[in-house]
Amino acid sequence: MAETTGAALPKGFRSAELGWPELHRIPHPPRRVPVIGDVWGADIRTPIQDSLRIGRQLGPVFRRKAFGKEIVFVWGAGLAAELADETRFAKHVGLGVANLRPVAGDGLFTAYNHEPNWQLAHDVLAPGFSREAMEGYHPMMLAVTERLTDRWDLEESAGRAVDVPGDMTKLTLETISRTGFGHDFGSFERSRPHPFVTAMIGALTHAQRRNAVPTPLAPLLLRGATRRNEADMAYLNRTVDSVVAARGGSDGEGDLLDRMLATAHPQTGERLTPENIRRQVITFLIAGHETTSGALSFALHYLSRHPDVAARARAEVDRVWGATPRPGYDQVAKLRYVRRVLDESLRLWPTAPAFAREARRETVLGGVHPMRQGAWALVLTAMLHRDPDVWGADAERFDPDRFDAQAVRGRPAHTFKPFGTGARACIGRQFALHEATLVLGLLLRRYELRADPEYRLRVTERLTLMPAGLRLHLERRAPATEAASALDCPVAGTGD
């Protein structure tokens, strides 16, 4: 069957029975109730964790239904590899992602495949994540981390535990806003989260909540929440408009905002419109800090719970960075074991816990399940990363050595997907990985991390994942070298 244009496909939510002719072959939870669906044991606050539990019970492909909306979930490695085939499948914008379109529109993350601004923005912005550009961002990443350690030093000296998710959110927001858009939110000077963060969390939470409410009842059940969401979106728009207005002239050779304002497409000469620039800035500010802050928070949790891993990672930092006062860009990539710690944290809790794929044309998934063009499935990344056929019977165990070079070479492709897949995978993944590895190295070099023995990991879901209520006690390390406490002294010219 010939592939039709993307514009011919329906938009918004498409229930599974519209695209899967033999849906009866796919298992669903027992005790399904007419009309309302699979509600027994479900918690609208934790749909991903509910799906992990159900996936373990029902196998690598299953379905869930609530109030007439049915979704097919996939987590088996073989099926996920098929869905990653760009010749057969493409990104599907649905569920909570589509619910963000009122504020993010045709930004890189929320654009439909047929919308031309996605390719235009991707081509204009891709040089902003080149090696040369990344080296330019590196000093600013150091400077922002310095602000974090100043705060943590005060907390440590006072004997107080630090709020890990809150402080990681401040860190990553300041990093993307300053490196990408030249804006300082002053997060570390605030006792409460910046209103931008509050509005962003509100928008993400509302987008997820709308998935669990029957569409006809949403105006009634979510009346107050909808008003708050509209206020949140208006605040996000006003904030970004002020950031753009403050920029003035641009030559297209600076940060991401410069490129958006001044760069024309190299082949077509097209430029991004002011409205699309606003949407791209909102996309980067949200996606560029929310997922990285979660990844850092989970990694710090696991480091605090596994002192042997922390000691090994810390020894690597001391060995590789030595007496270097401020590690250079190239020195970050040499922290191979620290990077494994980060990857293993992303394996167990990928902060973007799922991604959706739709059929470009009629096809059969796994040789068993026919799909019409436009039919879609949700790849449950957090369960794919726990597939015992790939990761072993101990897949729930934290073990960074799963990511040593030999182990990685021995695994099939498409089994580790924390940044999505294909052409629409996260454009900023190298930025996020460099930032997170650098931050972990700096924190390990400076502090011992002490876990609260009473704490049990709880995961908050707001489209992304974050450890809830995670606090750690710190202990300043005795410097192994004269420069091990290099961040004590700010250096002129770093942008702070």
Side-chain angles (χ1 to χ4, degrees), residues 25-32 38 50-65 70-71 73-76 79 369 383:
R25 293 185 175 212
I26 300 176
H28 63 75
R31 303 171 68 190
R32 175 171 283 189
D38 305 313
D50 281 354
S51 296
L52 291 180
R53 173 178 53 81
I54 294 168
R56 291 186 185 97
Q57 297 168 356
L58 298 182
V61 56
F62 64 96
R63 54 191 167 116
R64 297 183 68 187
K65 188 172 187 176
E70 188 147 25
I71 302 170
F73 294 81
V74 169
W75 60 264
L79 300 178
H369 304 292
M383 195 66 206

Side-chain angles (χ1 to χ4, degrees), residues 67 213-223:
F67 301 105
V213 175
T215 301
L217 298 180
L220 177 64
L221 298 180
L222 297 178
R223 182 181 303 167

Side-chain angles (χ1 to χ4, degrees), residues 48 70 82 151 184 207 211 311 323-325 376 391 433-434 458 480:
I48 290 294
E70 188 147 25
E82 282 193 49
R151 179 188 183 93
D184 188 339
N211 296 330
T324 304
W376 64 279
W391 303 97
L433 290 168
H434 181 85
R458 294 177 292 108

Side-chain angles (χ1 to χ4, degrees), residues 164-166 168-169 292-302 466-467 470:
V164 174
M168 291 304 104
T169 295
T292 310
S293 62
L296 280 165
S297 297
F298 282 115
L300 289 168
H301 165 73
Y302 284 115
M466 180 76 76
L470 175 62

